[in-house]
Amino acid sequence: MARHLGRLAAFRPHAHRGGRPRRASPGAEEPDPQPEPDTRPPKRRRPGLPRVRSVAGRVFLLQLVIMVLFAAAAGGALVVQARESNMQEARQLSMGVAQSFARAPGTLDAMKTGRPTELLQPRAEDTRRNTGVDYVVAFDPQGFRWTHPDPKLIGKHIFALREGGAADRPFTKTFEGSLGLAVDTTVPVYDTNRTTVAGFVSVGVTVASVDDVVQDQLPQLLGFAGAALAVAAVGTAIVSWRLRRQTRALDPSEMTRMYEHHDAVLHAVREGVVIIGDDGRLLLANDEARRLLDLPADAEERRVSELGLAADTTALLGSGRTVTDVVHLAGDRLLAVNLRPVDPGSRPAGSVVTLRDTTELRALAGRAEVARERLGLLYEAGIRIGTTLDVVRTAQELAEVAVPRFADAATVDLLDPILRGAVSAGPGPEMRRVAVHGVDGARSLYPVGELIRFVPTSPVAVGAERGRAVLDADLTSSSEWMNAQDPVRARHLLDLGFHSLITVPLQARGVVLGMASFWRSDAVPFGEEDLAFAEELAARAAVAVDNARRYTREHTLAETLQRSLLPSSLPDHSAVEVAHRYLPALEGVGGDWFDVIPLPGARIALVVGDVVGHGLHAAATMGQLRTAVHNFSALDLPPDELLGHLDELVARIDSDENVERDNESVSGATCLYAIYDPASGKCALARSGHPEPALVHPDGTVEYLPVPGSPPLGLGGGLPFETAELTLPEGSRLVLYTDGLIEDREHGPDTGLEALRLALAHPDRTPEETCQDVLDAVLPARSSDDIALLVARTRLLDPSQVAEWDVPGDPAIVAGIRSDATRRLETWGLAEMAFTTELIISELVTNAIRYGTEPIRLRLVHDHDSLICEVADGSSTSPHLRRAATTDEGGRGLFLVAQFAQRWGTRYTARGKVIWTEQSTQSPADDTDDMSADALLDQWEDASW
């Protein structure tokens, strides 16, 4: 087996940075040197280096990296190419030298001689020097050298065996030696018989270093890379200037953020964006625009007219005009279109279009509009329903509000107790129809006022029983409704077009008051939303109906109480002819009252009063004051004294009620009190906080009597009242009224007084006609206060009905006065009353003479069915009735007067008092215990009176 020669076999691979090929040392084998470790410190990134932020800088950095990579690739390719070229050259050289030396003449002969080294060594060295190989070694077939560049190795054995080839043909071996990569070619030398190997020739060549080759070509390579980098820098500078100009000096982060915003606007928002060029081509369309317009995938860069859009849509997009929020129908979508032309001064002309899908918004807007209308209707219902506090009118207002904005027809049915203001025990089958309103077909429903008995399966009965609304969205398919109440009427309603019904209970405070039914004929059928609205509307109306019911109950109670406290009829009196009117306020009865009270001596008292406020308390207070006036009138007090006592009473009641009734007082009560004497025609008047009375003369002249005014009752603080005394012509009309007649919310009292004056200025009118004239002319349209009106036409007694005597202060004249009185009674046809009248006159005149002071005066008045006897004197001492003891000689006179007179009493005047008696001419007093007149006179002599 062939072996390598010399120390070539001892070469080992290592990193080599040499340049050109070097000759291998032909010396002895040496150990391969170890590669020197790289002692340079590792490169560290400087933390202070600025980061490249501009786009141009990053482009330049990218180009620099590319150029470095290109240069490294070129260098690597150069190294590989140089290595392959050097290796091929070394192989060819070693092979050629070895073949030439082996076949050279004399080589074989020298090997066969006994001194091959002497002959071959010079020739081998010459060949080595002339060919540039590293060594030429000849050795025998046993491996002992004949020649070698180092003479010391001649004769030495080559220990390395031949590898990679046979011994009978040339072979080339590549190995890594100490001098680098080397190529060794061994060629056998055959004997003349061409079968025996006489020896071998080995030629070795060291391959030139790649670094040496690269160093030779490195300047060119670096020059090329520098030139490329310079061109790249210039290009980068131009690109940077251009980019900065186009991007307006924005750094990459800002451009990235702008791109993100741009991407969000174009693709993330739910608004279509379309950009159209000046030539009508679609330049850009975001995803939303593609969806809204159903654009094809290749829509961009195509003309708008070629996109398959509707003609009106194409015309709108390509119009180039300014459009703001125009609603456009594109397919089944409603689009809000905004179009703005691009300013051609700064960029190419074109248009920017934004599209917004308003289909759902329009539907939501429609529902919002319906909700807004419903809220408006509820607000209107709150205003219009319950304005009058009348149950029937409130139900009618509900029907009027619901039609036509909610239903085409509406009906309201209420329980009968509700109409009377009572509380219903619960929903019953019978209800009375109180309101029907709607289209002409509504006339086919049950009429107003009819009492309807609903069957248990009807919607009204079901809704009342369950306490919630019942919806029949389609009456045509509801057989239960058809056959429930009245099939004939139901069929007729269907023929008229009614197709949908909502029945809602009117319930307040847990009590069903009635039912409201809403019908539709022209509009769409009712739905669940309509059901909720109907319940809300009915709930508000039910509160108003319940308020009206409670008001009706309270108003009925108060009016009943007040009318029971007012005089049911006025007495027919010879002094005056009286007519009256009382009108309670629309908001409720108040405390107005009037009265006509007969007084002794054929006189009459006219009273009108007013308690401020309304309701039961005002009516009850009015009753108290009227009773007090009757009681004070029984004392025959003058008007000023009566009002003084009434003022004290009101103040006391007011004080007590402030404690017991939580400050609910009667302050503000007013009163006008007048006393008319038909015998003299004189009228005494006093008022406390009340309007002045009006006097209508027989010729129609009207004047307001100047009666001194005083504070209202209970507020005077104990101040005295004043009385005005006037003489009224016969046939004149005295008009007393409360302030509700002349005052209202729109006009003041002056306007009312003038209107009252004009209404009264008519002669020859009876009191009844006068009352009607006043109400027709002066009554306010909506009075907020009670109205009490009292008209009294005065009369005068005929002089023949009155007899008067002046009585001297001598008891002896009593018998003569009795005789004169008896004759006058006979003249009046009252002879049967002579005895009792003489007895009364004797007692009263005698007492006046004995205990009174002059002047003393006797007056007899014959007034219809009464005989009045009055004895006046100047003393204020009042007699009193007592029962005399058995041993008393006197004290029985007034007792006898009380026995024979129907009534008797005392009244005081400004200059004394008057003792009066009244006897009925219809039923004269019978003789007591059938006692004769003589027996009575025998018991009491004149001297004992």
Side-chain angles (χ1 to χ4, degrees), residues 674-868:
I675 297 177
Y676 176 68
D677 185 357
S680 61
K682 292 183 179 181
C683 182
L685 304 96
R687 63 189 181 100
S688 175
H690 206 82
E692 294 177 342
L695 179 64
V696 184
H697 292 271
D699 60 355
T701 305
V702 180
E703 66 170 321
Y704 291 101
L705 301 180
V707 180
S710 298
L713 298 175
L715 302 178
L719 296 177
F721 294 87
E722 297 185 46
T723 299
E725 187 170 338
L726 306 172
T727 300
L728 305 183
E730 184 179 7
S732 60
R733 287 165 287 168
L734 184 63
V735 181
L736 285 69
Y737 52 89
T738 57
D739 55 1
L741 182 66
I742 60 173
E743 295 181 4
D744 60 16
R745 295 174 180 176
E746 298 180 358
H747 304 94
D750 294 339
T751 303
L753 290 174
E754 184 61 28
L756 178 61
R757 180 193 298 272
L758 296 177
L760 295 174
H762 300 288
D764 300 330
R765 304 289 287 177
T766 65
E768 282 290 339
E769 294 172 341
T770 302
C771 288
Q772 194 60 44
D773 292 341
V774 170
L775 295 184
D776 293 341
V778 184
L779 184 65
R782 294 182 59 85
S783 177
S784 59
D785 196 3
D786 291 8
I787 295 176
L789 176 64
L790 183 63
V791 179
R793 184 165 62 179
T794 62
R795 298 169 179 166
L796 288 177
L797 296 178
D798 190 275
S800 60
Q801 295 178 270
V802 179
E804 293 183 299
W805 294 272
D806 291 328
V807 180
D810 184 5
I813 56 93
V814 174
I817 292 176
R818 286 201 307 266
S819 300
D820 294 339
T822 300
R823 287 191 294 271
R824 179 55 64 96
L825 292 178
E826 292 175 353
T827 304
W828 291 339
L830 301 176
E832 69 277 5
M833 300 179 64
F835 172 73
T836 57
T837 303
E838 288 181 3
L839 179 62
I840 291 172
I841 291 174
S842 297
E843 175 61 25
L844 296 182
V845 172
T846 301
N847 283 341
I849 293 174
R850 287 182 177 180
Y851 307 110
T853 59
E854 295 183 355
I856 301 173
R857 190 171 182 82
L858 170 64
R859 185 175 72 166
L860 293 178
V861 179
H862 180 209
D863 179 24
H864 294 295
D865 57 353
S866 298
L867 177 62
I868 302 168

Side-chain angles (χ1 to χ4, degrees), residues 623-681:
Q624 289 179 294
L625 297 183
R626 178 170 177 260
T627 302
V629 170
H630 268 274
N631 293 333
F632 293 142
S633 298
L635 299 177
D636 208 352
L637 299 175
D640 56 342
E641 293 186 18
L642 185 141
L643 291 182
H645 290 292
L646 197 62
D647 181 68
E648 293 178 1
L649 174 64
V650 170
R652 186 169 59 254
I653 295 175
D654 190 10
S655 177
D656 295 340
E657 291 185 349
N658 277 334
V659 177
E660 298 177 2
R661 301 188 182 181
D662 193 16
N663 295 329
E664 189 178 38
S665 64
V666 297
S667 59
T670 65
C671 183
L672 173 63
Y673 188 82
I675 297 177
Y676 176 68
D677 185 357
S680 61

Side-chain angles (χ1 to χ4, degrees), residues 347-669:
R347 54 182 68 89
S351 301
V352 177
V353 184
T354 60
L355 310 169
R356 186 172 64 256
D357 191 354
T358 62
T359 306
E360 296 181 359
L361 183 62
R362 180 59 60 90
L364 291 175
R367 290 195 292 270
E369 180 65 20
V370 172
R372 187 190 65 81
E373 292 180 357
R374 295 289 171 82
L375 289 176
L377 186 56
L378 289 177
Y379 174 76
E380 183 179 350
I383 296 177
R384 293 179 54 185
I385 299 177
T387 59
T388 61
L389 291 176
D390 179 78
V391 175
V392 175
R393 180 55 191 159
T394 302
Q396 293 173 350
E397 290 170 345
L398 169 60
E400 292 171 359
V401 167
V403 178
R405 295 172 60 181
F406 177 66
D408 296 318
T411 61
V412 180
D413 307 313
L414 296 179
L415 297 169
D416 263 353
I418 304 302
L419 297 175
R420 299 190 300 269
V423 179
S424 174
E430 290 185 349
M431 296 186 186
R432 190 172 299 277
R433 180 140 296 174
V434 294
V436 176
H437 187 70
V439 296
D440 293 338
R443 300 175 181 175
S444 299
L445 302 171
Y446 288 102
V448 174
E450 183 170 347
L451 184 63
I452 309 170
R453 185 177 183 85
F454 293 99
V455 298
T457 57
S458 66
V460 173
V462 172
E465 181 67 26
R466 297 178 181 177
R468 61 177 183 267
V470 176
L471 169 63
D472 285 330
D474 188 5
L475 296 177
T476 59
S477 61
S478 179
S479 59
E480 295 182 358
W481 177 81
M482 288 282 296
N483 302 322
Q485 188 69 32
D486 189 344
V488 177
R489 190 183 299 271
R491 174 56 60 186
H492 183 58
L493 291 176
L494 293 179
D495 295 339
L496 292 175
F498 290 102
H499 56 77
S500 188
L501 167 66
I502 290 180
T503 305
V504 190
L506 300 175
Q507 52 185 349
R509 299 175 179 88
V511 178
V512 175
L513 309 177
M515 298 295 293
S517 301
F518 304 103
W519 307 75
R520 280 187 178 177
S521 58
D522 298 330
V524 297
F526 287 116
E528 293 296 331
E529 295 181 357
D530 299 315
L531 188 67
F533 174 77
E535 290 178 338
E536 179 66 22
L537 181 62
R540 297 195 178 197
V543 173
V545 171
D546 187 60
N547 290 338
R549 177 195 63 80
R550 298 175 65 188
Y551 171 79
T552 300
R553 180 184 62 181
E554 182 178 348
H555 184 273
T556 302
L557 292 175
E559 186 174 2
T560 302
L561 174 62
Q562 186 176 40
R563 291 194 180 278
S564 66
L565 296 175
L566 290 175
S568 58
S569 61
L570 297 181
D572 185 13
H573 203 277
S574 59
V576 291
E577 179 185 358
V578 179
H580 68 281
R581 293 289 188 276
Y582 171 75
L583 299 177
L586 297 177
E587 298 179 357
V589 296
D592 292 12
W593 89 92
F594 63 91
D595 212 338
V596 177
I597 305 173
L599 297 178
R603 296 169 305 136
I604 196 163
L606 305 175
V607 189
V608 172
D610 182 9
V611 176
V612 176
H614 299 86
L616 292 175
H617 178 67
T621 302
M622 177 271 294
Q624 289 179 294
L625 297 183
R626 178 170 177 260
T627 302
V629 170
H630 268 274
N631 293 333
F632 293 142
S633 298
L635 299 177
D636 208 352
L637 299 175
D640 56 342
E641 293 186 18
L642 185 141
L643 291 182
H645 290 292
L646 197 62
D647 181 68
E648 293 178 1
L649 174 64
V650 170
R652 186 169 59 254
I653 295 175
D654 190 10
S655 177
D656 295 340
E657 291 185 349
N658 277 334
V659 177
E660 298 177 2
R661 301 188 182 181
D662 193 16
N663 295 329
E664 189 178 38
S665 64
V666 297
S667 59

